[in-house]
Amino acid sequence: MKFFQKPDKQEGERVPPGQHLAKGFPVLTYGETPQVNIETWEFRVWGLVKPASFTWSDFMSLPQHEFTADFHCVTRWSKLDVKWTGIKVTDFMSLIDVEPQVAHVMEHCYGGYTTNISMADFARSENFFAFKVFSEPLSAEHGGPMRLVVPHIYAWKSAKWINGLEFLEKEKLGFWERNGYHSRGEPWAEERYSGS
Ligand SMILES: Nc1nc2c(c(=O)[nH]1)N[C@H]1C(S)=C(S)[C@@H](COP(=O)(O)O)O[C@H]1N2
Ligand SMILES: [Mo]
């Protein structure tokens, strides 16, 4: 049994260069999987924004949508048509007061992982905070209870166990970005490593 399958023609057009289709849904985590309880779950915003904190029920009172999106890991596996349930980043953004000079965002997580993204790549209506995948509550290993999904960028920017956003004028680098990964990570341009 092979772990990776060659994409067929139709699917092939949706698989970025240098990627193969994964069988199943691999888990890619650096370090331990945090166990996060929704009763005590807290999501904070800070930096160039009016500081605020949100509970699980604050998030659940926002409009919920189904999203179907392809998922591309920089370690060269992709998974097409992942079906998620979540809340649009743009709906969440309407709750907070970000200063006009903000151009970058640092995503923060339970467990300490960070990843940076430009405001232009972040504040898009096709990006979402996911709490279900394939109609089931998101498992801890896939980032439950809540993760970010940014479909148009390599999945290391889709922060699992996300619990905060830091709004910045100048770019700061997150965990993988400090360790040689590209600051943007667009899969069709194969922006895998910094300097590429
Ligand atoms: N907090 C956190 N988020 C993370 C990671 C991580 O190690 N910690 N890994 C990233 C990477 S490299 C990928 S490919 C995806 C993998 O998501 P999955 O484990 O649900 O497949 O999560 C991303 N988000
Ligand atoms: Mo990844």
Side-chain angles (χ1 to χ4, degrees):
M1 196 186 80
K2 281 227 226 107
F3 186 71
F4 292 112
Q5 301 171 303
K6 268 265 165 72
D8 71 24
K9 267 196 207 112
Q10 265 190 331
E11 288 178 332
E13 288 164 17
R14 292 167 56 193
V15 179
Q19 298 290 110
H20 288 95
L21 287 182
K23 229 179 178 177
F25 193 178
V27 170
L28 222 297
T29 300
Y30 181 86
E32 301 295 307
T33 294
Q35 300 300 321
V36 181
N37 185 336
I38 59 172
E39 304 297 323
T40 52
W41 188 84
E42 188 191 11
F43 189 99
R44 292 195 309 119
V45 297
W46 70 95
L48 299 173
V49 62
K50 193 172 158 201
S53 157
F54 300 88
T55 64
W56 186 261
S57 59
D58 293 333
F59 264 66
M60 290 302 115
S61 65
L62 288 166
Q64 300 179 4
H65 300 274
E66 307 289 323
F67 300 86
T68 300
D70 298 346
F71 196 84
H72 309 295
C73 173
V74 71
T75 65
R76 300 187 181 272
W77 57 268
S78 291
K79 183 170 177 60
L80 304 182
D81 292 327
V82 184
K83 299 211 166 32
W84 307 91
T85 308
I87 290 148
K88 288 182 180 181
V89 165
T90 46
D91 285 338
F92 174 72
M93 294 295 284
S94 71
L95 301 181
I96 62 175
D97 287 314
V98 173
E99 292 180 24
Q101 70 271 35
V102 167
H104 296 276
V105 183
M106 187 69 81
E107 307 168 20
H108 291 264
C109 304
Y110 286 102
Y113 182 87
T114 55
T115 184
N116 61 278
I117 189 167
S118 72
M119 189 66 165
D121 281 325
F122 176 69
R124 294 189 179 203
S125 64
E126 75 267 22
N127 298 341
F128 52 92
F129 298 99
F131 57 92
K132 286 186 182 177
V133 67
F134 298 112
S135 304
E136 298 292 332
L138 197 56
S139 66
E141 59 180 6
H142 282 302
M146 186 79 80
R147 77 177 301 166
L148 182 69
V149 179
V150 178
H152 73 292
I153 299 285
Y154 284 125
W156 88 77
K157 308 273 189 186
S158 290
K160 304 196 279 192
W161 318 291
I162 193 162
N163 72 350
L165 300 170
E166 178 185 1
F167 291 94
L168 303 162
E169 183 172 4
K170 294 216 174 78
E171 182 177 67
K172 285 206 269 184
L173 299 182
F175 172 69
W176 284 120
E177 294 85 359
R178 282 195 305 273
N179 286 285
Y181 282 82
H182 198 278
S183 67
R184 179 160 191 241
E186 209 283 322
W188 294 93
E190 286 203 70
E191 292 173 340
R192 298 175 189 275
Y193 310 109
S194 64
S196 69

